């Protein structure tokens, strides 16, 4: 409990040559030693305060000991605070790194330079309350966003305050013109070639930093007002992209203002007025934008990515949100990387698809537009999960010899644990398929005359041309069975060639167990359409 | 059943107390009684015993298990308090802390050290926010003897804590304690807490600042002391007053201008002193003059000062030479009027190459001299007016006797830009300039105070009186007298011509860390490590006010120029404004992140400047706070705000001292610390 334990006293006693210190003495001494130590430290801290310091030095302890009429401890005076090092493996154990010095080296070393004598220098810290920007003063935040002044006024509500004007800083005439021009281009002529030039300029010019607060303000302002104007939004996002590219701009302080606008463009319910507006494209673009921001500033703002994913996941999981919002959320998450997809989307995939499916069907969803949207979401999901699985599989050591199929199957035969897993997989594969039937089942109740046979409804409805990936799911049920039986057949043909590969494969399967399951579940959810995402050799591994 | 338990309890009690005979007798009788009872089992005598008493007796039997009872009792009380009604909760929460520390000390006193530790650690977190420092102190108490020895614990044990509580909260608490039979807790509360039950609604949370601080001397004493009358007014016949009168006479501007011309020559003389920054300072002076002239039109503002009552000096004050008086008058006339809209200019003196050895600094009234006290026992004085010219005439001086030889050495050395004063034999903790800048006082860990002359560059007197390091020394506003404060828990008043102290102020429970004179020289204020500030009457040596509210050691003090208010800064960065007449805190000023080393009021009292270890100078608007309640004088003066006007960050330079010149130019000094 206490800092100084009985054992400590015993150890100290031994170290000064008292071998037979009785336990009672140690027990009585320990609390008193601790008390004295605390007392000395209390006095030392007082001395530190009166020396107008905030770090305790050995001198303070010496003076404190002096105050208590105790001989000071010699040999520790260092002129500055001691540098403690943490002992590796212990949480609360510190030591002073005290190097051995060779006397010869010390004697032979040239005399150190005499330290500079104390001196006083004088400067103006403030002139009539304003700090002059001179090197002697701490660097002041020169640029203050225009919104800062506003905030200040709002803060002191009700109380009579002399209103503090926002800090003035001079914006050169050229910069003002430049800003006006960019704004004009963004708002009115975002499709002109000139705008592209402007974007390049924004991404490369070095002198733009003073304008950043204005751009930030402009963007957030326009986004909140112009959600109907698709072209404007796209132009604004391009401006953001360019600003982010610019290596001379220090954009971090303004991110918190930018992020809401950017996320809005990603998951807004409606973007643009007309049907013709390809808001999917804008969402895709913004998703990439968000991902790049996260990648670049994630380490500066620790909670940036967590907050973002939370927002997106929330949008994704809320069934009341519109399809467009879901699409944006999925794209955003997908852009953040395959890991995000695996962690956040995949676990929710099955219930989500169950919700999505009726939306995609002609029978259920009569509205052409809505159905189209649902298909888009489906495509996005597919792409996201597909990419995540691809990424996962890519990590495996590249396996030699293209006609790998035989090899692999052989491998499984030779090594027994994979075989077991294989069996598991088979089991899994079959079971989900059954489940699939079960989920499909209720749909068949829909009074269509073809419902009697167990063919999945997808094959019946005219599959919208927008999603060519989507294969008939009937095959999804058959193919695995076929493959499995195939591989079984080939087991017999196994030969010794595979032996050398077996080690590699064991490794692969070990890593793979998860992704194997993942793939299986994805396969069962999406059907064959997931297959194009799996690189050929790897795919064969699983089939 | 019950009866049996009671009997067991009685036996246990007798055993514990060592009443062997009685025990035997009791047991014998008990056996007989039991036999009897088996005979006529229907008749029971036990029914007559009061169940309440039974429980009381029972509780004695558990006395073997004291620690557990404390622990259980406290944790029950705690959970009850936390689940009590919101309206009364904060009042009841106040009870927890004293109960907690007294439970702990009871356990220690009874010798259950290990259990006390367990108890302390399990509930420590609750109070860490408010009372961290106290807890850290108490943590070290490990044996009953420490309780006696440690001043803080001892005073806590001796005194009762006063807690203001409303009628209903009080009833709630009593009901709870009775209902749950928590005798232990009831005992602790009865023994150590003094409830001041007030009828009506519970007090608002914001008022509890004084309640939460536990001090050695009881609240009652403090209240009694604070009843004493004090005369906080300004001195009769002060220069300010004379200026007011003169200003009244000079109704037309022509005359004023004439006066300015007349004193121009004098100003030229002063320039070298006021300056130090050559061109810029001259410009500054001119600017000052212009604003000062404009300030005259803003007379009503200045009238606020003259409204303060006048008091007669209790001390025989030194007579000021007329030419000095003239120059001060001139300064006063040219003073810049500061307000929340007109912030002062700040001139910063940075000490470089100090290698962490600068302990204190001081700036003379006109800013021309800067002194630094070092931990190598030296005191160094820089003459800022000579700084640019690389003074060849700077003289190093040791003791009086050595003066001639030292002088030669000094001139031949030539390079040194400062005057070195050597004489102390321990770190120099404080230095102060006399109002006229001709003397410096320094205090040191060698328990002496030394008087130095800046004209002769020599040590004049060594004042020995304190027994321990002297933390602070301050010249009175009129000079001649000075006050010192020390680790020996006293503050002392001295005059320059006597080597013995004139008064010794004793009463603080811990080190007296800082001292400050009241503007009318009749009082001094002292800040201490016992977290209180006291005001003492210089003439009688009595304590006339205790200001309770700080949560850590008080490091700096400042008196407002109208004499009514005082500001104190502590180790945590909190600054408190006190009303001297009522002894109450006007408002705490939060904002600094670390120790407040220095405080200064502007000359007309509208601004407060604070310098801190967090490397900032902050300017606070204190006009609203101080003037409003005085004119309205109602209790709801809480509307007054003290707000931070401006934060001036320095370049990793903790601010050691601050000083407003008579013309309201703010000087600040600090040592550049590389580690930041």
């Amino acid at each position: 409990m206490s800092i100084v334990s009985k054992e400590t006293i015993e150890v100290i006693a031994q170290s000064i040559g008292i071998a037979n210190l009785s336990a009672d003495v140690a027990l009585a001494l320990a609390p008193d030693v601790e008390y004295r130590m605390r007392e000395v430290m209390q006095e030392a801290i007082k001395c530190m305060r009166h020396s107008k310091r905030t770090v305790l030095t050995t001198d303070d302890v010496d003076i404190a000991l002096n105050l208590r009429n105790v001989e000071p401890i010699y040999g520790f005076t260092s002129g500055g605070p001691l540098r403690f090092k943490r002992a590796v493996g212990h949480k609360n154990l510190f030591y002073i790194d005290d190097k051995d010095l060779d006397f010869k080296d010390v004697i032979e070393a040239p005399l150190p330079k005499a330290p500079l004598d104390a001196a006083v220098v004088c400067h103006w810290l403030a002139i009539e309350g304003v700090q002059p920007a001179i090197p002697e003063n701490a660097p002041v935040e020169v640029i203050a966003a225009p919104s800062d002044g506003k905030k200040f006024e709002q803060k002191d509500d009700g109380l009579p305050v002399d209103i503090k004007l926002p800090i003035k800083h001079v914006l050169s005439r050229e910069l003002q013109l430049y800003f006006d021009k960019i704004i004009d281009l963004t708002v009115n002529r975002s499709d002109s070639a000139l705008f592209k030039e402007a974007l390049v300029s924004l991404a490369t010019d070095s002198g733009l930093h003073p304008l950043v607060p204005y751009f930030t303000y402009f963007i957030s302002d326009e986004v909140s007002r112009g959600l109907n104007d698709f072209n404007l939004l796209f132009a604004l996002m391009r401006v953001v992209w360019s600003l982010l590219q610019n290596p001379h701009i220090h954009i971090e302080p303004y991110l918190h203002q930018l992020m809401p606008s950017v996320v809005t463009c990603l998951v807004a319910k409606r973007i643009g007025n007309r049907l013709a507006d390809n808001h999917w494209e804008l969402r895709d673009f913004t998703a990439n934008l968000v991902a790049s921001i996260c990648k670049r500033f994630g380490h500066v703002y620790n909670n940036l990515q967590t907050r973002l994913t939370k927002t997106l996941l929330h949008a994704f999981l809320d069934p009341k949100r519109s399809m467009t919002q879901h699409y944006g959320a999925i794209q955003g998450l997908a852009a953040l990387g395959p890991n995000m997809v695996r962690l956040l989307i995949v676990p929710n995939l099955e219930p989500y698809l169950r919700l999505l499916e009726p939306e995609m069907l002609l029978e259920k969803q009569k509205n052409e537009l809505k159905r189209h949207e649902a298909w888009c979401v489906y495509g996005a999901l597919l792409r996201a999960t597909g990419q995540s699985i691809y990424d996962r599989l890519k990590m495996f050591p590249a396996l030699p010899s293209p006609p790998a199929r035989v090899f692999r199957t052989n491998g499984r035969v030779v090594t027994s644990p994979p075989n077991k897993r294989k069996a598991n997989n088979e089991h899994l594969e079959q079971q989900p398929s059954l489940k699939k039937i079960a989920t499909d089942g209720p749909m068949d109740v829909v009074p269509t005359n073809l419902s009697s046979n167990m063919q999945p409804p997808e094959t019946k409805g005219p599959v919208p041309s927008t999603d060519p990936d989507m294969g008939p799911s009937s095959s999804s049920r058959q193919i695995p069975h076929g493959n499995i039986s195939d591989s079984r057949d080939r087991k017999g043909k196994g030969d010794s060639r595979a032996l050398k590969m077996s080690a590699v494969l064991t490794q692969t399967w070990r890593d793979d167990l998860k992704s194997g399951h993942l793939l299986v579940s994805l396969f069962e959810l999406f059907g064959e359409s997931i297959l194009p995402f799996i690189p050929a050799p790897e795919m064969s591994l699983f089939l | 059943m019950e009866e049996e338990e009671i009997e067991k309890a009685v036996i246990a009690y007798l055993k514990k107390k060592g009443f062997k005979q009685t025990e035997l007798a009791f047991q014998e009788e008990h056996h007989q009684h039991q036999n009897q009872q088996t005979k006529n089992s229907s008749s029971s005598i036990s029914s007559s015993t009061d169940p309440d008493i039974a429980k009381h007796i029972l509780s004695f039997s558990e006395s073997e298990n004291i620690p557990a009872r404390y622990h259980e009792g406290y944790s029950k009380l705690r959970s009850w308090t936390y689940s009590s009604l919101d309206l009364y909760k904060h009042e009841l929460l106040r009870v927890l802390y004293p109960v907690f520390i007294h439970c702990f000390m009871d356990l220690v006193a009874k010798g259950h050290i290990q259990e006390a530790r367990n108890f302390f650690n399990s509930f420590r977190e609750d109070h860490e926010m408010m009372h961290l420092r106290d807890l850290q102190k108490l943590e070290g108490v490990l044996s009953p003897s420490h309780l006696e020895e440690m001043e803080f614990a001892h005073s806590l044990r001796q005194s009762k804590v006063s807690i203001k509580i409303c009628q209903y909260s009080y009833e709630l608490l009593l009901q709870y304690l009775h209902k749950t039979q928590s005798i232990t807790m009831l005992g602790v509360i009865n023994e150590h807490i003094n409830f001041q039950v007030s009828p009506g609604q519970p007090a608002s949370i914001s008022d509890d600042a004084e309640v939460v601080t536990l001090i050695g001397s009881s609240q009652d004493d403090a209240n009694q002391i604070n009843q004493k009358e004090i005369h906080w007014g300004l001195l009769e016949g002060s220069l300010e007053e004379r200026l007011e009168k003169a200003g009244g006479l000079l109704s037309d501007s022509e005359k004023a201008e004439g006066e300015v011309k007349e004193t121009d020559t004098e100003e030229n003389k002063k320039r070298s002193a006021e300056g130090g920054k050559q061109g810029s300072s001259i410009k500054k002076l001119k600017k000052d003059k212009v604003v000062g002239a404009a300030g005259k039109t803003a007379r009503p503002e200045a009238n606020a000062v003259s409204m303060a009552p006048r008091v007669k000096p209790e001390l025989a004050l030194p007579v000021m030479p007329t030419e000095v008086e003239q120059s001060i008058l001139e300064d006063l006339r040219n003073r810049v009027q500061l307000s929340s809209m007109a912030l002062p200019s700040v001139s910063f003196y940075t000490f470089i190459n100090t290698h962490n050895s600068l302990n204190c600094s001081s700036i003379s009234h006109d800013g021309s001299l800067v002194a630094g006290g070092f931990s190598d026992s030296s005191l160094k004085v820089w003459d800022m007016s000579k700084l640019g010219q690389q003074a060849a005439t700077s003289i190093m001086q040791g003791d009086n006797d050595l003066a001639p030889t030292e002088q030669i050495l000094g001139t031949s050395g030539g390079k040194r830009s400062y005057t070195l004063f050597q004489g102390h034999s321990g770190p120099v903790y404080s230095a102060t300039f006399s109002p006229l800048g001709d003397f410096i006082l320094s205090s040191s860990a060698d328990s002496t105070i030394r008087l130095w002359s800046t004209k002769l560059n020599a040590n004049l007197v060594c004042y020995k009186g304190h027994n321990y390091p002297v933390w602070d020394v301050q010249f009175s506003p009129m000079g001649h007298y000075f006050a010192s404060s020390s680790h020996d828990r006293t503050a002392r008043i001295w005059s320059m011509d006597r080597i013995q102290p004139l008064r010794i102020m004793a009463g603080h429970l811990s080190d007296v860390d800082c001292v400050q004179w009241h503007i009318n020289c009749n009082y001094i204020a002292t800040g201490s490590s016992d977290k209180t500030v006291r005001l003492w009457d210089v003439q009688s040596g009595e304590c006339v006010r205790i200001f309770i509210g700080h949560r850590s050691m008080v490091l700096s003090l400042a008196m407002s120029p109208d004499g009514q208010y005082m500001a104190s800064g502590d180790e945590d960065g909190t600054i408190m404004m006190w009303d001297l007449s009522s002894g109450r805190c006007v408002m705490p000023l939060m904002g600094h992140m670390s120790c407040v080393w220095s405080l200064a009021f502007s000359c007309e009292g509208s601004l407060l400047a604070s310098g801190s270890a967090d490397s900032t100078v902050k300017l606070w608007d204190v006009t609203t706070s101080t003037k409003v309640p005085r004119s309205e004088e109602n209790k709801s003066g809480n509307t007054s705000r003290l707000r931070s006007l401006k934060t001036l960050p320095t370049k990793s330079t903790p601010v050691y001292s601050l000083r407003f010149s008579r013309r309201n130019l703010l000087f600040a000094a600090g040592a550049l610390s590389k580690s930041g």
Side-chain angles (χ1 to χ4, degrees), chain A residues 1 46 49-50 123 126 135, chain B residues 114 121 346 348 511 513 651:
Chain A
M1 284 313 289
K46 274 181 198 164
R49 292 296 180 213
H50 284 286
H123 72 270
Chain B
Q114 196 56 38
N121 286 331
V346 188
F348 201 94
D511 302 35
D513 294 302
K651 207 171 184 178

Side-chain angles (χ1 to χ4, degrees), chain A residues 87-157:
Chain A
V88 181
H90 297 274
K91 217 169 73 184
N92 292 322
L93 189 60
F94 296 89
Y95 67 98
I96 303 163
D97 199 14
D98 215 1
K99 282 187 198 116
D100 284 338
L101 288 178
D102 197 344
F103 247 125
K104 222 176 100 193
D105 291 350
V106 177
I107 294 167
E108 283 174 359
L111 280 176
K113 263 191 212 165
L116 290 169
D117 205 355
V120 175
V121 289
C122 175
H123 72 270
W124 287 108
L125 183 67
I127 296 170
E128 292 179 353
V130 181
Q131 282 195 290
I134 48 174
E136 286 90 345
N137 280 336
V140 203
E141 186 65 45
V142 190
I143 304 150
S147 54
D148 282 3
K150 270 191 170 175
K151 264 184 209 155
F152 184 85
E153 285 166 43
Q154 287 158 359
K155 229 187 286 171
D156 309 53
D157 41 341

Side-chain angles (χ1 to χ4, degrees), chain A residues 355-367:
Chain A
L355 284 173
L356 187 64
E357 227 148 347
E359 295 286 321
M360 300 193 305
L361 299 177
L362 185 63
E363 298 82 25
K364 287 269 194 145
Q365 185 54 268
K366 298 288 186 230
N367 189 334

Side-chain angles (χ1 to χ4, degrees), chain B residues 159-278:
Chain B
S159 64
K160 276 190 163 192
V161 187
S162 286
I163 294 183
K164 270 187 207 155
I165 196 168
C166 81
Q167 185 73 41
Y168 187 69
S169 308
Y170 185 59
E171 276 168 23
L172 275 181
L173 184 67
L174 283 191
Q175 258 175 26
Y176 165 78
L177 290 173
H178 280 297
K179 208 167 60 192
T180 55
Q181 300 297 332
S182 18
I183 310 297
T184 328
M185 290 301 113
L186 193 61
V188 170
I189 289 172
N190 276 338
E191 200 175 339
H192 297 292
I193 301 180
N194 190 15
F195 285 105
Q196 296 175 330
V197 182
S198 59
Q201 287 299 302
S204 68
I205 299 173
S206 58
D207 294 355
D208 67 352
E210 51 181 340
V211 183
V212 293
T213 321
L214 291 172
I215 47 143
S217 67
S218 75
Q219 190 86 30
D220 278 344
D221 288 352
N223 282 340
Q224 210 158 24
I225 287 170
N226 287 356
Q227 296 302 317
K228 288 181 187 166
E229 190 186 7
I230 61 163
H231 308 280
W232 49 265
L234 298 180
L235 275 188
E236 251 178 8
S238 70
L239 283 170
E240 273 94 346
E241 198 178 18
R242 261 185 268 171
L243 181 72
E244 288 303 315
K245 282 175 191 160
L249 291 172
L250 297 169
S251 49
D252 49 350
S253 56
E254 241 183 82
K255 223 171 176 179
E257 258 176 39
E259 189 133 306
V260 170
K261 260 179 216 158
E262 193 183 286
T263 50
D264 247 359
T265 47
E266 205 157 34
E267 196 181 319
N268 281 337
K269 254 187 273 163
K270 266 228 79 165
R271 190 169 295 164
S272 60
E274 171 84 29
K277 293 157 294 297
Q278 283 79 37

Side-chain angles (χ1 to χ4, degrees), chain A residues 1-3 30-36 38-39 42-43 45-54 57 59-60 63 66-69 79-81 83 115-131 134-139 156 159-164, chain B residues 114 117-118 121 136-137 139-140 142 146 149-150 277 280 284 287 341 343-353 355-356 358-359 374 380 382 384 387 416 418 427 429 468-469 471 487 510-511 513 529 553 555 571 594-595 597 613 617 641 643 646 648-651 656 665:
Chain A
M1 284 313 289
S2 48
I3 299 171
D32 203 58
V33 166
E34 186 177 343
Y35 179 79
R36 299 296 153 195
R38 284 172 184 274
E39 193 183 17
Q42 179 187 311
E43 299 305 320
I45 287 169
K46 274 181 198 164
C47 293
M48 171 188 82
R49 292 296 180 213
H50 284 286
S51 299
K52 303 236 180 349
R53 272 182 279 110
T54 45
T57 64
D59 293 333
D60 296 324
I63 295 171
N66 241 334
L67 281 179
R68 286 279 166 270
N69 285 327
R83 306 239 172 262
L116 290 169
D117 205 355
V120 175
V121 289
C122 175
H123 72 270
W124 287 108
L125 183 67
I127 296 170
E128 292 179 353
V130 181
Q131 282 195 290
I134 48 174
E136 286 90 345
N137 280 336
D156 309 53
L159 299 169
V161 184
D162 5 277
I163 287 158
K164 200 171 172 183
Chain B
Q114 196 56 38
R117 273 305 182 112
N118 284 333
N121 286 331
Q136 278 169 351
K137 271 190 200 163
E139 210 175 17
L142 291 164
H146 291 163
E149 198 171 330
M150 189 184 195
K277 293 157 294 297
S280 68
K284 180 72 201 157
K287 207 190 284 170
M341 302 302 287
L343 296 176
S345 300
V346 188
S347 174
F348 201 94
Y349 297 130
T350 313
F351 289 82
I352 50 173
N353 305 322
H355 310 289
N356 262 336
L358 184 71
N359 286 348
F374 290 79
K380 297 170 185 173
W382 281 264
M384 297 315 284
L387 193 66
R416 207 170 260 149
Y418 52 83
Y429 285 123
Y468 279 107
W471 296 134
H487 177 72
S510 188
D511 302 35
D513 294 302
S529 289
M553 129 192 210
L555 291 168
E571 210 181 343
S594 187
C595 313
W597 296 133
V617 174
R641 299 159 298 118
R643 55 201 174 98
K646 186 100 187 165
L648 303 167
T650 65
K651 207 171 184 178
Y656 287 4
L665 179 65

